[in-house]
Amino acid sequence: MRGTYALARVVVIRATVARTLLWIGVVGMLAGLLIPSVTGRRHGVMIGAAAGVLAALLGLLLRSRWYRARIAAADKAAFAVTLEPPQATRRRLARDNALWLLVGMIAVCAAALAAAPAAGMAVFGYGFGLFLATRLTARWERANETLVWARTEDARLLGRRSRIGAFATTGPAAGQVRPVVKGAARTRG
């Protein structure tokens, strides 16, 4: 990867997506418990528990081999790159995906009419599995004293694999990057 470009931590991106799915799942579960459904509350909870466990396994295992291979093939980040602070990554993802968040919540709440909390439990389970996968990556980073980064335009990391560029690595000190305000680094007094 040559030239100047911005990088965001892979762990931060995936954890942000996982937290979003967890919140959508919670909203869906609450809607499923409050809204009368076709399946009934008891059957919906049983279906949702099974779907949640399967979705958690899917979130944990899906693409795990692909991520490991991508991390193993990552090169050192070039000196000219800009590293995006974690809070800036979270804000950017929230802003860029606000519409999808709203659509997801509406869809899960609408599914509550048919299957009570089952859809919400499945989404929650997938988010939980993805969060566990993120924790495993963070543990690998600590053990290897290496941080894994992706280009900011690849920030979803849930889209088509062919559209995601190569990962880059840095040392652990790069994780302390601070936001830049008006051309000068923010200092603490």
Side-chain angles (χ1 to χ4, degrees):
M1 294 193 282
R2 291 186 173 184
T4 304
Y5 49 90
L7 294 175
R9 291 264 318 270
V10 170
V11 165
V12 174
I13 295 166
R14 295 188 82 199
T16 303
V17 172
R19 283 188 192 102
T20 302
L21 291 171
L22 289 170
W23 278 111
I24 291 173
V26 167
V27 170
M29 283 189 282
L30 290 175
L33 292 173
L34 297 175
I35 299 171
S37 67
V38 174
T39 60
R41 192 173 292 140
R42 191 165 63 92
H43 291 314
V45 169
M46 290 190 305
I47 294 167
V53 170
L54 291 175
L57 287 173
L58 186 66
L60 178 61
L61 300 175
L62 188 68
R63 292 190 180 180
S64 61
R65 223 178 324 176
W66 181 81
Y67 274 101
R68 282 196 299 269
R70 191 53 76 96
I71 290 169
D75 291 326
K76 278 272 195 201
F79 185 73
V81 300
T82 302
L83 300 177
E84 186 175 59
Q87 60 271 29
T89 302
R90 291 184 197 104
R91 273 196 308 270
R92 182 174 50 78
L93 288 173
R95 183 183 61 242
D96 293 349
N97 297 301
L99 179 63
W100 288 112
L101 176 63
L102 181 64
V103 168
M105 285 195 179
I106 291 170
V108 170
C109 289
L113 293 170
M121 292 172 85
V123 172
F124 184 87
Y126 186 79
F128 184 71
L130 188 60
F131 191 76
L132 290 178
T134 302
R135 293 295 98 207
L136 290 175
T137 304
R139 191 178 196 182
W140 179 91
E141 286 182 331
R142 281 191 301 277
N144 292 280
E145 295 187 354
T146 302
L147 301 181
V148 183
W149 303 77
R151 292 178 85 131
T152 52
E153 58 265 27
D154 298 335
R156 283 192 198 150
L157 293 185
L158 291 175
R160 291 186 183 172
R161 288 180 262 193
S162 60
R163 292 186 181 172
I164 298 172
F167 289 173
T169 60
T170 64
Q176 305 304 318
V177 65
R178 298 277 182 244
V180 174
V181 180
K182 294 184 182 176
R186 183 182 293 166
T187 57
R188 290 185 178 186

